Structure formats: structure tokens, C-alpha cells
Amino acid sequence: MRILHTMLRVGDLERSIAFYTEVLGMQLLRRKDFPEGRFTLAFVGYGAESEQAVLELTHNWDTPHYELGTGYGHIALETDDIFATCDAVRAKGGKVVREPGPMKHGTTVIAFVEDPDGYKIEFIQP
């Protein structure tokens, strides 16, 4: 078995696709409308779904906003240069919510950004 995807419900699909593709550099892998169910699914990632886990962005046409709740944590992405990655996110209009630095009680260098719906993405520098 392997992880296929993680699903996030998003309020504005175009805004979310733009964030994940233009700000985080993912590719839009596929997209399909389901008019009878009034929703659209879009899959984004850094490579083919047959090779890597991806994100499924689910847009329910009649729901412009979601409450994130207290159970969700974050998505983690590895980056070779966390400082340059955060600078690039800021330059493209993204929001860095925790500047790069060592994690609490450890030495791993991390940072956090936030997508347009408030989901946290953690950058980790190996």
C-alpha cells in the first residue's frame, strides 16, 4: 500500500489552484466537474499520481468557506533552502506565518506558510 492523496475542502478553487501551482510550484494534474453533485475535484502535486502522493482540492460549489477545526495539523514539504523558499512564497503573495528557524525542543529547521483557506504547510529543511 501507499498514500495516494490528501483531500482538502477549499472555498475558491481557482484561488487554491493558483496558490498550489504558482506559489508552491505544484502542477495541476487533473480536474473534473461533477455537476450532478455540485462539486469539482482538482489534483495537484510535484509529480505523477502513479509515482507520488498528491493533494485533492475539493470545491463544493455552494460552500464558499470552511471552519478548519482543531484536528487538522499541516502538510509538510521538504525544501533544500528554507529561507529562499519562504522569500519566494512572499514574493508571490503567499503568507509566511512562522519564519524559518529550529523547531521547538529540537534542531530541525522549519517554517510555516498558510494557503488561501488557512491550511498550514510546513517547510522542512533536511
Side-chain angles (χ1 to χ4, degrees):
M1 286 195 270
R2 70 182 182 93
I3 295 174
L4 297 177
H5 63 261
T6 297
M7 185 271 273
L8 301 175
R9 289 183 178 94
V10 300
D12 181 328
L13 185 60
E14 299 309 320
R15 179 184 69 183
S16 292
I17 290 172
F19 175 80
Y20 285 98
T21 60
E22 296 169 18
V23 177
L24 295 185
M26 294 182 185
Q27 301 165 359
L28 176 60
L29 302 170
R30 63 187 168 106
R31 175 184 179 151
K32 184 171 181 181
D33 292 328
F34 294 84
E36 67 285 352
R38 300 193 50 75
F39 69 94
T40 302
L41 302 180
F43 291 80
V44 296
Y46 291 111
E49 291 176 74
S50 60
E51 304 291 322
Q52 300 184 22
V54 300
L55 293 177
E56 173 189 336
L57 305 176
T58 298
H59 176 243
N60 293 297
W61 299 353
D62 301 317
T63 308
H65 179 265
Y66 290 93
E67 297 298 323
L68 298 186
T70 59
Y72 174 79
H74 60 268
I75 298 162
L77 302 176
E78 182 178 276
T79 178
D80 290 333
D81 185 341
I82 200 165
F83 295 95
T85 301
C86 285
D87 288 344
V89 165
R90 267 192 291 276
K92 294 174 182 173
K95 183 177 177 184
V96 177
V97 295
R98 192 239 196 230
E99 293 296 328
M103 63 180 275
K104 191 175 186 178
H105 310 296
T107 58
T108 304
V109 177
I110 65 171
F112 281 90
V113 300
E114 195 173 85
D115 88 349
D117 288 282
Y119 293 109
K120 301 287 190 289
I121 298 104
E122 177 184 31
F123 293 145
I124 301 174
Q125 184 167 296

